[in-house]
Amino acid sequence: MASQGIGASVLRNEDERFLHGRGQYVADITLPGTWNAAFLRSPIAHARIKSITIPDDLKGRVFTAADMTGVGPIVGISSLPGFRVSEYPVLATKKVRFVGEPIAVALAPERAEAEDMIERIAVEFDPLPAAVECLDARKSGAPLVHEQWPDNIVHQAEFKLGPFDEMVKKAAHKVTRQFRISRQAVMPMESRAALAHYDARQDELVVYASHQTPHLLATGLAKFLGMSQRRVRVISPDVGGGFGLKIFVEAEALVAASLAMRLRRPIRWIEDNLEHLTADANCREHRHTLTAYADNQGKFLAFDLDVVVDGGAYSIYPWTSCVEAAQCAGILTAAYDLPSIHAKLATIATNKPPICVYRGVARPGVCFSGELIVDAVARAIGREPYQVRIDNMVRPEQMPYSTITNKLYDSGDYPESVRQAVKLADVDGIRARQRRGETDGTLIGVGFASYTEQTAHGTSVLSKWGVELVPGYEMATVRMTPDGDLVIEVGIHSHGQGMETTLAQIASEVLGVDPKRVKVKFGDTAMSPYSTGTYASRSIVMAGGAVATACRTLAKRIAVIGAHLLQAKADDVRIENAQVIGPKGQVDFSALGRAWYLHPEDLPPAVDRGGLTVTEGYRPNPDSGTFSYATHAAVVSVDPDLGTVKLIDYVVVEDCGRRVNPMVVDGQVLGGTVQGIGTALYEEALYGPNGEALTGTLADYMIPGATEVPDIKLAHMTTLSPWTEFGIKGMGEGGAIAPPAAIANAVNDALRVLGVEIAETPITPRRVLAALAAAGKL
Amino acid sequence: MKVTLTLNGRPIEADVEARKSLADFIREREGLTGTHITCEQGVCGACTILVDGRPVRSCIALAVTADRRDVRTVEGFDDDPVMAVVRRCFSECHALQCGYCTPGMLVTARDIVTRLPNADRARIRLELSGNLCRCTGYLGIVNAIEKAASEIRARRP
Ligand code: FES
Ligand code: FES
């Protein structure tokens, strides 16, 4: 058998069911007697609720906050100093604080009937002025989202690290820009979903949820329902994309769960697209002012960042509303050997949906401002932006490298990723073409963006984030079946990342089993070890490490039993291709499974009592995270008359250490990159002056389709992590980080002849034309 | 309202509400949950099925419009040789991740390779513009369709 272990592009175990329509998502599950839930949601961003009137015939079918005693409120507390706590009621109590906030829920056998019912509920509002733009909401005198607070500041912090003042004095160049990153909806193709029922036999609440972190959801449900965790089981079946959206405890799931318990009836809520694009438009929105200080060669001396993140109306559990802003200082140095920084971070409450994280978390925003300022510095001193990048980057011989912000970069050759991207994007060719000019009047530009991505960061890092849930050892159970196959149980989740295959490949690497004979199970809290779940690009490093560790322990036990069956010494046997091979013969794993489970009379006397089931924990050492990195290059053509931006070419050079399954890695990078293209050019959850949601359909909120993206060129470097099993680095989020910056830099390169710069996402034709008009170039 | 149709080769008679979408009918009444729903507005293509051999968005088609028609969903291609090639190419080219868009993608992909066996990559992308995928970035899907088309062309005399 050719190696099916680490490094092989093994076709995915999960494909078969998806290709035949046999995937099972929450909406596909119906339990007898299920009632479907429809939520009445606030049409107003900020208002007092004067009254709610429910027609008599709907009593017992429609529920409001008055029926939710003992449920919630959701409280996402950060222990960071000065954090202001908000209470997020599962159904609105006296006030509504964002468009889409749930006010009441109606239940009926069919969703359509439930929707008819919510039409008949009358709510009288007393509208209040809304805090919409976070920069305005920060000012004194702004409408207060939480009236008991003195202002809308959820949390703020300031850091000065390294010899900042000295560097500022030394600097020959000071370049300042302001940046805006739009609010987005994560928009997985399967929206959020929950189906709750009470299992009388087990006396437990069972919640099927579309979720990345089922154990964490179970913990949260128990907490906010006031139940013992013993009595809460979460099953997260097939999940149609997560990307960070599905990692918090949702008000709707709590409502469904409490009503299922109370009515002793399954309650199902499937978020529809309008709900997702309005009530769930919950990520990204940053405002930055960034100043770079550099010497006259363009060597960076200091970065000074002022970040405001729009935190929305409430803080979510367990990640809180300040986890986005709080990361912005730490990641500011990016791939650069930067001696000093100053950063001011603020999370501001507004009358918009509560902020959650989305692929890359704060990095797409910080990469956007950081990489655009790099280009602005390069323009100021008249050098090629890629050269300025290379000159400033942490060099491979400096690894491991500790940033001024206390991140420990483990390995990599950052400048080489730029050099390769320069070649693949053919910068010389583009420069020549720019000198010739385009016959159709468009302008061509090339832009770069590099990043580092901290992945699989563990206890030592998250314990400083102020969140209630800190990951520790990641656990995996590996057991051999009586016929010699393997079952792996893990607490992470997979929703597109192919973990049913890649974890099987890791088992194959250690034990030589065919990945097709390894069943990887996850998603059911009753049948997997506790885990904080899948987020922060951690699962292949953490669960992969746990699987490898457990398989090695299992290998020792297998060797003892196998040697006995072969009448050899345990030291004289080896494991290969799912066999124990001794000096004079071999036995298949099936013979071992048979001996342990069915014929213990064949076992050696000194057998391990743990048998052929092993649970092991894993944590890299140090656990401060392993850093993937990449350089992206975009080539665009801009039409200065129409303001349109067309992507002509796109290059990614990435390094995520050892690639367990190169095909899967490519898929993750490409998918992330296209989401980043969406951030760069198309996606924006728009709000009117009173906080009204303006983008409620996929015709208004545009995500990239097949025609919007070119054939992306992908190149890999492989620098192993010294700290993880097999040198693997996490990489699920990275693709989404750089595209907004790379594309904006390309647009600015194109517009350079006109002296015009863009500093805002998405780069829509309207924004390009506005920038041209502002410069008098239209 | 009464409807009579063929669903994956099986004759069906049903009484449906006038407002019931074909997607909901297939999923809820017939239990064929391979047809997925995202936008319910005709934009994303997740719910694409075949009606009388042509791709239709089942979220914006009413069940009553399927009266006397031949409806095929992702569950109904098990003996279809073209779909067998398309499926294998999807797996080989990593054209699916979470699998949610996949049933609609497969129906569209099969339509592309059947109707436009010589389509180039640009044309494939254009034909795919009614099917959104949030996971793959489309490259794998375009590759899979290109590969399936070339295999199917090679088989023809
Ligand atoms: S669900 Fe039918 S087109 Fe989107
Ligand atoms: S594979 Fe997830 S949406 Fe296409």
Side-chain angles (χ1 to χ4, degrees):
Chain A
M1 181 177 85
S3 171
Q4 302 283 290
I6 291 174
S9 285
V10 174
L11 300 188
R12 301 195 322 164
N13 285 341
E14 42 273 81
D15 286 352
E16 178 73 8
R17 69 176 183 281
F18 294 135
L19 289 169
H20 288 83
R22 293 196 291 264
Q24 193 186 49
Y25 306 85
V26 174
D28 303 340
I29 301 168
T30 308
L31 301 172
T34 297
W35 277 354
N36 285 285
F39 283 89
L40 173 66
R41 294 175 182 276
S42 177
I44 301 178
H46 198 193
R48 261 186 274 281
I49 298 175
K50 283 167 75 179
S51 67
I52 303 176
T53 313
I54 300 162
D56 282 341
D57 62 309
L58 298 186
K59 299 257 157 77
R61 292 294 202 91
V62 169
F63 302 87
T64 65
D67 305 296
M68 289 291 138
T69 321
V71 182
I74 297 166
V75 186
I77 299 180
S78 170
S79 61
L80 295 178
F83 178 82
R84 288 220 186 91
V85 179
S86 57
E87 293 196 340
Y88 181 178
V90 295
L91 292 173
T93 47
K94 296 184 192 83
K95 262 177 88 173
V96 284
R97 292 186 175 86
F98 66 94
V99 169
E101 181 165 357
I103 297 171
V105 62
L107 305 175
E110 296 215 12
R111 167 73 173 243
E113 294 173 64
E115 288 185 13
D116 292 344
M117 284 154 68
I118 59 173
E119 299 271 311
R120 295 175 54 214
I121 305 168
V123 184
E124 246 191 305
F125 295 103
D126 191 0
L128 296 165
V132 184
E133 162 57 45
C134 58
L135 289 178
D136 297 335
R138 179 162 72 160
K139 294 181 188 144
S140 68
L144 291 177
V145 178
H146 299 282
E147 51 288 351
Q148 69 278 24
W149 293 6
D151 51 41
N152 289 317
I153 299 168
V154 180
H155 175 254
Q156 53 188 357
E158 186 168 357
F159 301 89
K160 203 187 248 190
L161 302 167
F164 180 79
D165 298 324
E166 184 190 321
M167 289 293 147
V168 165
K169 267 190 227 120
K170 242 170 81 174
H173 293 277
K174 173 185 175 189
V175 179
T176 301
R177 296 285 188 278
Q178 288 178 328
F179 302 97
R180 298 168 67 94
I181 291 96
S182 70
R183 181 167 276 252
Q184 285 185 252
V186 176
M187 200 42 234
M189 294 304 282
E190 185 212 20
S191 57
R192 295 192 290 124
L195 162 62
H197 80 102
Y198 173 67
D199 180 335
R201 183 176 65 85
Q202 299 282 0
D203 181 33
E204 76 186 3
L205 167 70
V206 181
V207 178
Y208 293 86
S210 182
H211 222 268
Q212 301 171 226
T213 63
H215 289 273
L216 185 154
L217 178 61
T219 299
L221 288 170
K223 179 184 170 91
F224 296 120
L225 291 167
M227 291 175 70
S228 155
Q229 283 197 52
R230 184 184 80 244
R231 297 180 60 219
V232 180
R233 175 180 178 190
V234 169
I235 300 170
S236 187
D238 283 325
V239 169
F243 317 119
L245 173 71
K246 298 169 179 176
I247 63 170
F248 62 96
V249 177
E250 304 130 318
E252 295 90 346
L254 280 163
V255 169
S258 76
L259 291 172
M261 294 294 285
R262 171 164 158 182
L263 304 173
R264 294 287 193 258
R265 179 187 279 284
I267 304 295
R268 183 169 73 174
W269 170 68
I270 309 298
E271 181 181 63
D272 72 19
N273 201 220
L274 175 65
E275 290 179 291
H276 180 71
L277 292 175
T278 54
D280 244 5
N282 62 6
C283 52
R284 292 278 191 259
E285 197 161 16
H286 289 212
R287 310 280 179 258
H288 293 193
T289 303
L290 179 60
T291 303
Y293 296 88
D295 70 12
N296 45 30
Q297 280 308 298
K299 171 80 184 107
F300 305 142
L301 302 173
F303 277 9
D304 188 354
L305 176 68
D306 186 335
V307 182
V308 176
V309 171
D310 185 324
Y314 302 105
S315 179
I316 55 164
Y317 176 90
W319 301 104
T320 81
S321 57
C322 69
V323 75
E324 176 96 5
Q327 294 194 20
C328 292
I331 60 181
L332 181 56
T333 67
Y336 305 111
D337 183 13
L338 185 64
S340 73
I341 68 148
H342 174 235
K344 278 161 81 175
L345 322 168
T347 303
I348 303 298
T350 62
N351 292 111
K352 291 189 210 155
I355 193 122
C356 180
V357 297
Y358 172 31
R359 204 170 195 167
V361 198
R363 285 171 189 79
V366 174
C367 182
F368 185 72
S369 57
E371 291 296 292
L372 264 65
I373 213 86
V374 170
D375 277 38
V377 168
R379 278 194 291 276
I381 59 172
R383 294 187 67 200
E384 273 286 0
Y386 70 81
Q387 285 168 345
V388 172
R389 276 187 178 76
I390 290 172
D391 286 357
N392 277 287
M393 277 176 164
V394 176
R395 296 181 309 279
E397 64 273 17
Q398 290 174 284
M399 296 288 178
Y401 171 89
S402 185
T403 70
I404 193 73
T405 57
N406 235 340
K407 304 256 180 218
L408 192 55
Y409 293 170
D410 49 343
S411 63
D413 187 344
Y414 302 170
E416 178 60 18
S417 72
V418 181
R419 287 190 283 265
Q420 290 195 18
V422 166
K423 264 193 223 123
L424 285 167
D426 185 20
V427 173
D428 292 343
I430 303 285
R431 294 288 177 240
R433 191 170 155 183
Q434 283 174 322
R435 284 191 293 274
R436 285 196 304 273
E438 301 297 303
T439 48
D440 61 358
T442 58
L443 298 166
I444 304 292
V446 59
F448 293 86
S450 306
Y451 66 84
T452 65
E453 184 198 4
Q454 187 174 22
T455 72
H457 28 313
T459 317
S460 63
V461 176
L462 272 82
S463 57
K464 297 197 191 97
W465 285 7
V467 292
E468 275 189 40
L469 233 145
V470 176
Y473 284 93
E474 187 68 27
M475 311 298 288
T477 299
V478 178
R479 61 188 157 86
M480 188 179 285
T481 57
D483 54 359
D485 287 353
L486 291 183
V487 175
I488 293 175
E489 289 155 4
V490 282
I492 51 95
H493 201 281
S494 179
H495 24 275
Q497 305 92 323
M499 307 289 297
E500 289 172 50
T501 309
T502 49
L503 291 181
Q505 286 181 257
I506 288 176
S508 175
E509 183 73 20
V510 180
L511 295 170
V513 292
D514 182 341
K516 292 259 166 306
R517 291 179 54 189
V518 182
K519 174 76 199 157
V520 177
K521 294 180 143 186
F522 49 79
D524 186 340
T525 59
M527 291 198 270
S528 55
Y530 196 95
S531 165
T532 54
T534 289
Y535 58 92
S537 299
R538 66 191 297 276
S539 296
I540 195 65
V541 173
M542 300 302 296
V547 166
T549 310
C551 284
R552 286 199 196 101
T553 303
L554 185 61
K556 287 191 200 129
R557 298 187 192 169
I558 286 172
V560 171
I561 300 174
H564 180 76
L565 297 178
L566 289 167
Q567 299 186 344
K569 288 206 209 86
D571 289 346
D572 293 341
V573 300
R574 64 181 203 279
I575 295 170
E576 239 170 59
N577 290 339
Q579 289 181 324
V580 181
I581 301 171
K584 286 199 288 288
Q586 62 223 34
V587 280
D588 286 350
F589 280 6
S590 58
L592 275 72
R594 187 171 168 274
W596 174 263
Y597 293 102
L598 310 174
H599 288 282
E601 68 273 20
D602 293 344
L603 292 176
V607 72
D608 190 301
R609 288 196 305 268
L612 297 178
T613 300
V614 175
T615 300
E616 287 275 15
Y618 170 77
R619 182 161 107 180
N621 182 23
D623 73 346
S624 49
T626 171
F627 287 76
S628 294
Y629 62 94
T631 296
H632 289 210
V635 182
V636 300
S637 99
V638 183
D639 186 323
D641 295 324
L642 299 174
T644 48
V645 175
K646 194 167 174 276
L647 268 181
I648 324 180
D649 196 8
Y650 202 95
V651 169
V652 178
V653 180
E654 73 83 45
D655 186 347
C656 63
R658 177 79 71 219
R659 284 171 289 149
V660 176
N661 182 321
M663 175 190 83
V664 165
V665 168
D666 286 4
Q668 293 299 302
V669 174
L670 292 166
T673 300
V674 171
Q675 288 188 5
I677 291 172
T679 303
L681 294 175
Y682 306 109
E683 297 181 34
E684 181 171 28
L686 280 168
Y687 288 84
N690 300 311
E692 58 274 43
L694 302 178
T695 40
T697 73
L698 284 178
D700 315 301
Y701 185 92
M702 273 170 293
I703 67 171
T707 46
E708 274 76 53
V709 287
D711 283 346
I712 293 165
K713 292 178 193 148
L714 190 47
H716 301 281
M717 296 164 57
T718 306
T719 317
L720 304 191
S721 171
W723 300 329
T724 64
E725 279 287 358
F726 311 109
I728 301 169
K729 300 181 175 190
M731 49 70 59
E733 297 171 82
I737 296 172
I743 292 168
N745 276 335
V747 169
N748 288 343
D749 186 55
L751 297 179
R752 188 179 174 180
V753 286
L754 302 174
V756 172
E757 277 183 26
I758 293 286
E760 195 172 350
T761 68
I763 309 165
T764 55
R766 183 179 60 76
R767 288 204 169 98
V768 173
L769 293 179
L772 288 165
K777 294 292 155 70
L778 204 61
Chain B
M1 298 171 81
K2 285 251 183 303
V3 288
T4 322
L5 62 144
T6 310
L7 180 56
N8 296 336
R10 188 166 47 92
I12 292 201
E13 255 188 61
D15 202 4
V16 296
E17 259 186 295
R19 69 175 179 177
K20 170 86 56 199
S21 76
L22 185 50
D24 284 347
F25 171 77
I26 290 164
R27 289 177 49 84
E28 291 164 13
R29 207 199 106 111
E30 295 302 317
L32 295 174
T33 55
T35 297
H36 296 156
I37 294 172
T38 298
C39 69
E40 297 182 85
Q41 213 210 1
V43 180
C44 76
C47 64
T48 308
I49 60 172
L50 290 186
V51 175
D52 288 346
R54 299 170 70 167
V56 161
R57 297 175 179 316
S58 59
C59 70
I60 48 169
L62 293 172
V64 291
T65 65
D67 190 36
R68 293 191 305 274
R69 298 189 186 265
D70 181 54
V71 174
R72 248 206 298 175
T73 70
V74 70
E75 292 93 342
F77 291 95
D78 282 359
D79 49 13
D80 182 273
V82 175
M83 190 59 108
V85 175
V86 173
R87 278 180 170 140
R88 181 170 43 72
C89 292
F90 261 56
S91 186
E92 288 169 359
C93 298
H94 194 25
L96 66 155
Q97 290 184 23
C98 78
Y100 200 83
C101 71
T102 308
M105 282 289 176
L106 288 171
V107 171
T108 299
R110 182 185 175 280
D111 178 62
I112 297 171
V113 300
T114 314
R115 196 164 41 81
L116 302 161
N118 297 309
D120 62 11
R121 294 176 72 81
R123 184 63 194 265
I124 291 170
R125 285 187 179 274
L126 187 66
E127 294 289 325
L128 276 175
S129 59
N131 285 74
L132 296 175
C133 171
R134 194 57 155 167
C135 297
T136 62
Y138 303 102
L139 191 62
I141 297 172
V142 175
N143 291 345
I145 294 172
E146 194 179 37
K147 181 164 189 227
S150 91
E151 284 192 23
I152 287 162
R153 273 198 314 270
R155 278 186 198 180
R156 292 209 176 125

